Amino acid sequence: EYRSSTKIPEIVPLDSLWFKLDVNTASDTFGFIWTTLNDPDTIGNNYYLWAKRLGRDNGFISVRGASFDDRLFNGERFDFNMARGKRFGTFDENEEEQSFFRRNDTVVVKFATIDTPVEKFWSTARAATSAGFNPFASPVTVMSNIDNSGRGVWGGYGVTYDTLICIPVP
């Protein structure tokens, strides 16, 4: 028998989204989605981000660094970018496109508020899978909010959706 609990925190929507070409590539096609977040002035807000390219992705895919907390920016308004993620164990169809969104992509961004135990699960799970089977990597214990040595997470998500057509802004 296993038990767990979670809460769905109050939704904190993204303020705005825009597409900006990457200045480090010679291409006028690839870039990142940028957004503005107004973090509430209460410590302990946690977030998770996914993106889905319509007509190209079968479902939502976690962006790189998908889960994060507000320890470094509590109560602040700030801009950040999203690097496109990929499904675990898959390869990009086009190596030069890796991590980028493409000009004219229509992207649905799924942004969620999550509670602290859910964020700890996702951040430790990401650290564990990033280490792969490297014998020299530091071991990572994946945190769980399930009792009785349960593995995984029981999570509640306060979700908002935004759609962006990737047209570069200057």
Side-chain angles (χ1 to χ4, degrees):
E1 183 174 309
Y2 298 100
R3 292 194 180 136
S4 185
S5 66
T6 192
K7 68 177 186 172
I8 299 174
E10 188 173 325
I11 291 174
V12 177
L14 294 172
D15 181 79
S16 54
L17 295 166
W18 65 96
F19 177 72
K20 196 171 179 183
L21 293 172
D22 181 48
V23 296
N24 297 315
T25 64
S27 171
D28 66 349
T29 304
F30 304 120
F32 298 105
I33 293 175
W34 285 79
T35 188
T36 302
L37 175 63
N38 293 310
D39 183 65
D41 191 19
T42 52
I43 197 85
N45 297 298
N46 301 277
Y47 305 102
Y48 201 100
L49 264 166
W50 301 262
K52 176 172 69 170
R53 299 171 297 168
L54 297 181
R56 299 186 70 197
D57 297 325
N58 292 330
F60 284 97
I61 300 171
S62 301
V63 302
R64 295 184 187 254
S67 66
F68 55 98
D69 61 38
D70 69 349
R71 284 182 290 174
L72 298 177
F73 53 80
N74 182 54
E76 295 181 22
R77 174 186 170 95
F78 65 98
D79 298 338
F80 65 97
N81 68 16
M82 291 180 242
R84 186 173 61 82
K86 65 179 182 175
R87 293 205 185 282
F88 184 72
T90 63
F91 297 96
D92 280 328
E93 62 284 350
N94 182 346
E95 189 67 29
E96 75 174 336
E97 196 171 336
Q98 190 170 3
S99 299
F100 294 113
F101 293 94
R102 178 186 283 271
R103 179 191 293 263
N104 297 322
D105 276 346
T106 299
V107 180
V108 180
V109 174
K110 181 178 175 182
F111 184 64
T113 53
I114 55 178
D115 67 5
T116 299
V118 173
E119 196 285 325
K120 290 201 179 308
F121 167 79
W122 286 118
S123 62
T124 57
R126 184 176 58 249
T129 57
S130 294
F133 295 102
N134 182 348
F136 303 107
S138 297
V140 176
T141 300
V142 177
M143 307 297 285
S144 175
N145 66 352
I146 302 171
D147 73 357
N148 203 18
S149 300
R151 295 183 182 165
V153 69
W154 177 256
Y157 299 79
V159 178
T160 60
Y161 296 89
D162 290 290
T163 302
L164 174 71
I165 299 173
C166 293
I167 299 171
V169 297

